[in-house]
Amino acid sequence: MNQHEHGTEPLHPTDAAALPGAVADPVARMMQLTSGAWIAQALSAAATLGVADEMAAGPRPVGEIAKAVGVDETNLYRLLRALADAQVFEELPDRCFALTPVGELLREDIHGSMRGWAHKFARPYHRAAWGQLLEVLRTGRSGFDLAFGKSGFEYLSEHPDDAESLDVEMTSIATRLTAPIVQRYDFGRFGTVVDCGGGRGALLAAILSANPRVRGVLYDLPHVVERAGQPLVEAGVLDRCELVGGSFLDSVPAGGDAYLFSQVIHNWDDTDVVRILSNCRAQLRSEDSRVLFAEYLIPDDPRQPSLSKLIDLEMMVICEPGAQHRTREDFRRLFERAGLRLIGVTDGPGSLGLVEGALA
């Protein structure tokens, strides 16, 4: 079937989330949608092999790339050819390939690399959990629980390689997607920003770099904090930052003017979110203090297409029951239950937003 004859173009990896209006041929559309998993696996394989890094200096023959990454030349050509249709690579004469702006994101050596994000889809744990989707729908249990008999947190604590891979992924997302919010929101008005569940510290490093008078606290579980801090060192802001181990389900560090949770709150059900908010409220020192959630937001209008709806399925499969992405109205209700009020939302890239709460 020729896609161009039916009025449709090859999908980008996120096009399925946009779900544009009716196309000329529903069969072609269905074929494109169902092939999304193939694209994800192909991207993951390319990311794992480091193919994009081999093209960093410019176009290269597929034979040279195959030799450098240790794979079969014919099969690699077929992979790169398919990803060229997805505009990840560009196929040139004589079986040479070059990077596109999308493919550049697969390089490991660039600021804001998304190689870790793409790599995730090849991890056996991720495939195993998503393989349980039907049972997730039937039982209400998580894919992790069904696949491994334990929560994602328990699994990752027992599999440090997968935990390390996830840390790299979250660092790349913080740099690429969340950091632009640093330019749109005034963090400079705070004396101390506490980044709760901040991982390695990539987002906090961006905030402190952009606001030289602000101090930071990187707060995460003790075993995470033990290997955290490299982004803070690289940014030259470690001297303005304290690393603290603990659980925000129990408490948050005192002394913060803003308590920031980036790509964290979606992991918890409403009861736990209210518990976390209450812990923050207990530490808010004035009406100028803030609680900030950087999250993908589900549109309040259910008819509005959004990538966040697909990412919400990832939460349903990977996380514990109750984990979810939320609407602005959902956050307003949660803030109220904890004695806070919703100030507003600063829009970020795509469906990302910075939800802002303060004392009621």
Side-chain angles (χ1 to χ4, degrees):
M1 181 180 294
N2 187 314
Q3 292 171 314
H4 297 282
E5 291 176 355
H6 296 281
T8 58
E9 295 290 336
L11 285 183
H12 293 225
T14 58
D15 279 351
L19 294 177
V23 296
D25 188 338
V27 174
R29 180 62 172 160
M30 180 59 72
M31 290 294 291
Q32 289 174 335
L33 290 172
T34 52
S35 67
W38 301 342
I39 295 174
Q41 288 295 311
L43 281 167
S44 182
T48 302
L49 291 170
V51 167
D53 295 298
E54 295 300 325
M55 301 184 208
R60 292 187 68 184
V62 68
E64 291 184 9
I65 302 170
K67 184 176 181 180
V69 302
V71 298
D72 179 79
E73 176 182 341
T74 299
N75 285 345
L76 181 63
Y77 173 75
R78 295 165 70 181
L79 179 80
L80 299 185
R81 177 179 63 184
L83 288 176
D85 275 2
Q87 301 181 5
V88 179
F89 305 112
E90 179 184 4
E91 184 169 5
L92 304 173
D94 301 321
R95 293 166 64 98
C96 289
F97 286 88
L99 292 175
T100 67
V102 176
E104 288 280 349
L105 298 178
L106 294 180
R107 288 175 53 187
E108 188 174 30
D109 62 345
I110 64 167
H111 181 70
S113 168
M114 295 187 71
R115 181 181 178 185
W117 168 265
H119 175 66
K120 174 181 70 173
F121 295 93
R123 304 295 289 190
Y125 80 84
H126 192 267
R127 295 201 306 270
W130 265 93
Q132 298 294 325
L133 179 58
L134 277 177
E135 288 305 306
V136 170
L137 295 170
R138 288 171 176 153
T139 66
R141 295 164 62 190
S142 77
F144 251 109
D145 184 18
L146 290 162
F148 302 107
K150 60 190 67 177
S151 72
F153 292 118
E154 292 171 328
Y155 174 90
L156 291 172
S157 69
E158 298 169 3
H159 296 80
D161 288 347
D162 286 330
E164 175 70 14
S165 175
L166 183 61
D167 282 347
V168 171
E169 173 210 333
M170 294 309 297
T171 297
S172 73
I173 291 300
T175 303
R176 177 59 60 175
L177 297 180
T178 312
I181 291 179
V182 175
Q183 279 74 49
R184 302 184 189 184
Y185 185 84
D186 182 17
F187 285 96
R189 59 197 172 107
F190 302 121
T192 299
V193 173
V194 182
D195 187 359
C196 301
R200 297 184 174 190
L203 179 57
L204 187 57
I207 292 171
L208 298 184
S209 294
N211 300 278
R213 296 184 180 180
V214 176
R215 299 192 63 82
V217 177
L218 181 64
Y219 185 57
D220 212 317
L221 295 173
H223 73 273
V224 176
V225 170
E226 286 179 2
R227 60 176 185 268
Q230 188 59 34
L232 299 165
V233 173
E234 293 173 355
V237 297
L238 186 61
D239 61 326
R240 289 189 281 128
C241 188
E242 181 182 3
L243 277 62
V244 179
S247 170
F248 47 66
L249 288 171
D250 299 325
S251 65
V252 295
D257 299 296
Y259 291 86
L260 172 64
F261 297 77
S262 175
Q263 302 291 306
V264 170
I265 289 300
H266 58 247
N267 289 307
W268 306 98
D269 64 22
D270 287 354
T271 299
D272 280 332
V273 172
V274 172
R275 178 180 173 186
I276 293 165
L277 283 169
S278 298
N279 290 338
C280 293
R281 186 185 185 281
Q283 299 298 340
L284 297 186
R285 298 183 288 183
S286 74
E287 61 182 21
D288 295 323
S289 300
R290 294 290 186 265
V291 179
L292 303 167
F293 293 161
E295 288 287 334
Y296 283 101
L297 297 174
I298 303 290
D300 287 308
D301 181 354
R303 298 168 297 178
Q304 180 181 340
S306 174
L307 177 62
S308 59
K309 297 176 184 179
L310 277 180
I311 299 176
D312 184 57
L313 293 184
E314 170 85 346
M315 300 303 101
M316 183 179 75
V317 170
I318 297 296
C319 301
E320 291 301 286
Q324 59 187 294
H325 284 290
R326 297 174 169 91
T327 66
R328 287 167 171 80
E329 179 60 21
D330 291 333
F331 280 116
R332 184 190 65 77
R333 289 194 293 264
L334 291 170
F335 280 129
E336 287 184 354
R337 287 174 57 184
L340 300 168
R341 60 189 172 95
L342 178 66
I343 298 293
V345 177
T346 300
D347 291 329
S351 303
L352 203 68
L354 188 67
V355 183
E356 182 177 6
L359 289 170

